[in-house]
Amino acid sequence: MQERLHMRHHPGTDPLPFEASIIDKTEDSLILSKSFCYPRGGGQPGDTGIFINDGKKCGFSEALGGEFIRHPVNEISGFSVGDEVRCEIDIDRRNRHAKMHTTQHVVSALADDLWGAETVGNQISTEYTRIDFLFPNRDEYDSDSLTEAVNTVIGSDTSVKVHEWSRDFVKDHEHMRHTKFMDRIPSFINELRVVEIDGIDLCPCAGTHVASTSDIDPIVITNVKSKGAGKFRITYQFENENI
């Protein structure tokens, strides 16, 4: 069994280096006894970084999920099952994704509160995030109103918490959002990770997040694109990086 350390670590920023043994390998990836790496999923990219093995450094590309977290490397022949390796995650990349992911929760929650807009997809990156919304009435949407509401929350120093709750408790909670997607979570998983932005959002999520909304920069919405059938795709980035 592989330990998934990122699931127990909150806030999900500034990941520490860790040491682990190689328990298996594929044609291009290492599988470790434990991993602090976030594997791609839920709209969030996977971590990248470097392995140090017997004094030699080797980069690994985006960590991938599944039954085990897989760490793709270019030179798989340089590693053997049983080797002890040190892993150093790209901290700047992880921190960017954690900030973007927490912001996505705020944007989605407020669009729901303002217009009953349902988030039906999202894709996070280091530079921007895009969210697909399904609106009961798209004519009501206003970028300025959403931006102002989001930045008010960002400036409020609202805490971000992580809970481990039973599947039934999550499903029956009256304030829980995004429970429609729970059928994608294997039925044998009875304890779910739930992210709470105090008074703003509450939903199942395995992603990495910051400790407080004050850790996030204000945003600007850079693009709104119609996706047909009541859908808008909204793209945002951090205001201080808008060009």
Side-chain angles (χ1 to χ4, degrees):
M1 180 65 70
Q2 182 188 62
E3 291 186 75
R4 300 187 177 219
L5 301 178
H6 72 277
M7 292 289 286
R8 302 199 303 265
H9 183 75
H10 179 71
T13 52
D14 300 322
L16 298 172
F18 66 93
E19 296 181 353
S21 58
I22 300 173
I23 59 174
D24 199 0
K25 63 180 189 177
T26 67
E27 291 183 356
D28 63 354
S29 298
L30 302 179
I31 298 175
L32 307 179
S33 58
K34 60 184 177 181
S35 181
F36 215 149
C37 296
Y38 181 82
R40 181 174 66 198
Q44 180 175 334
D47 286 330
T48 61
I50 61 170
F51 287 126
I52 302 174
N53 179 29
D54 195 25
K56 299 178 181 178
K57 293 184 177 181
C58 176
F60 66 90
S61 56
E62 184 180 21
L64 304 173
E67 183 179 2
F68 297 98
I69 298 174
R70 292 167 288 140
H71 310 78
V73 294
N74 291 329
E75 299 294 334
I76 194 73
S77 61
F79 299 91
S80 300
V81 173
D83 285 354
E84 295 289 329
V85 296
R86 177 182 172 87
C87 177
E88 297 180 358
I89 296 171
D90 184 330
I91 292 176
D92 288 341
R93 175 182 167 91
R94 162 70 80 84
N95 288 355
R96 295 276 302 187
H97 291 158
K99 292 177 181 180
M100 280 287 187
H101 202 150
T102 305
T103 306
Q104 181 265 309
H105 279 238
V106 175
V107 175
S108 291
L110 293 177
D112 185 14
D113 290 344
L114 288 168
W115 305 293
E118 178 186 359
T119 295
V120 293
N122 66 275
Q123 184 59 55
I124 295 163
S125 74
T126 54
E127 287 81 26
Y128 64 88
T129 291
R130 67 185 190 211
I131 307 175
D132 290 342
F133 289 107
L134 180 62
F135 285 82
N137 182 357
R138 290 194 317 177
D139 293 338
E140 294 180 348
Y141 173 74
D142 178 67
S143 287
D144 290 341
S145 297
L146 183 57
T147 301
E148 181 180 0
V150 170
N151 287 338
T152 296
V153 171
I154 287 173
S156 67
D157 193 20
T158 300
S159 63
V160 180
K161 305 171 186 175
V162 169
H163 308 284
E164 294 288 338
W165 287 340
S166 73
R167 193 185 194 99
D168 288 342
F169 183 80
V170 172
K171 185 177 179 181
D172 296 336
H173 198 295
E174 63 177 334
H175 298 301
M176 195 70 59
R177 301 182 197 260
H178 304 307
T179 55
K180 290 182 180 180
F181 300 98
M182 285 178 57
D183 59 352
R184 301 181 186 177
I185 303 172
S187 59
F188 64 83
I189 298 177
N190 294 317
E191 294 291 318
L192 300 182
R193 189 173 187 265
V194 174
V195 173
E196 178 182 16
I197 304 175
D198 196 20
I200 303 298
D201 191 38
L202 185 68
C203 70
C205 181
T208 62
H209 295 275
V210 298
S212 167
T213 60
S214 64
D215 297 325
I216 306 169
D217 296 318
I219 69 156
V220 59
I221 293 174
T222 56
N223 191 39
V224 180
K225 182 178 182 180
S226 175
K227 300 297 289 183
K231 292 182 183 178
F232 276 152
R233 172 169 291 175
I234 296 170
T235 302
Y236 66 82
Q237 63 189 81
F238 295 127
E239 186 179 55
N240 59 0
E241 298 169 359
N242 184 40
I243 299 176

